[in-house]
Amino acid sequence: MSESPFPRDPEAPDPAPGPDPTEPPRPPAYTPGSVQPRLNRPLHERYPQIRPTSGYGDPRIRHTGPGPGAGAEQEPERSAKLTARLVLALSVVVGQLWGLTIVVNEWMSGDTGTAWWGAGFLVLSFLVVLGLWLLDPKDR
């Protein structure tokens, strides 16, 4: 039997008169859905470098994820303090937005006395937020 296990590709150019016996044979190009069965080889034959242990089953991987204790709060008191200060600051900001709406409405209607009192409220609330920020400099 003189035929090789893979039939010759009709579109391939004619081979050289004598192949070099020291050179390993080159695999044919893969064409998905080819009519030639030699080109529809199984995955492990087409890509021998992909092994069943590639990925999650790789024995070199010992630990996955960030490790024990990750995501747990390390300083709960500090977290509670920062959350309380954040809630206070956000409530002051909401109050400032509300106050700004009232001040602009009063100013536009011509009641400048109430607008100046509202402007004073806005300045006072800004000073409260500034005081909260200055309260603990190590948390910045």
Side-chain angles (χ1 to χ4, degrees):
M1 179 166 190
S2 64
E3 279 192 28
S4 68
F6 298 111
R8 187 177 175 295
D9 190 359
E11 285 89 26
D14 289 334
D20 187 8
T22 59
E23 186 178 331
R26 301 177 75 191
Y30 172 67
T31 308
S34 176
V35 294
Q36 301 177 22
R38 69 182 178 90
L39 300 179
N40 293 323
R41 300 183 311 274
L43 184 70
H44 67 276
E45 287 181 14
R46 283 183 280 148
Y47 303 103
Q49 69 273 22
I50 298 177
R51 296 179 307 278
T53 57
S54 296
Y56 71 92
D58 196 337
R60 295 171 292 181
I61 298 175
R62 301 244 191 280
H63 305 288
T64 60
E73 186 58 53
Q74 303 297 322
E75 297 180 56
E77 294 84 12
R78 180 174 179 265
S79 175
K81 181 172 61 171
L82 291 176
T83 302
R85 284 173 41 191
L86 182 66
V87 167
L88 282 173
L90 288 176
S91 63
V92 169
V93 167
V94 168
Q96 284 179 327
L97 290 173
W98 172 76
L100 184 62
T101 304
I102 299 298
V103 167
V104 169
N105 283 340
E106 292 299 320
W107 184 269
M108 294 302 231
S109 67
D111 191 3
T112 57
T114 307
W116 282 113
W117 279 106
F121 167 76
L122 292 175
V123 169
L124 181 66
S125 63
F126 174 75
L127 291 175
V128 167
V129 171
L130 188 62
L132 286 173
W133 183 71
L134 291 173
L135 197 61
D136 200 1
K138 73 177 178 84
D139 279 338
R140 280 184 244 137

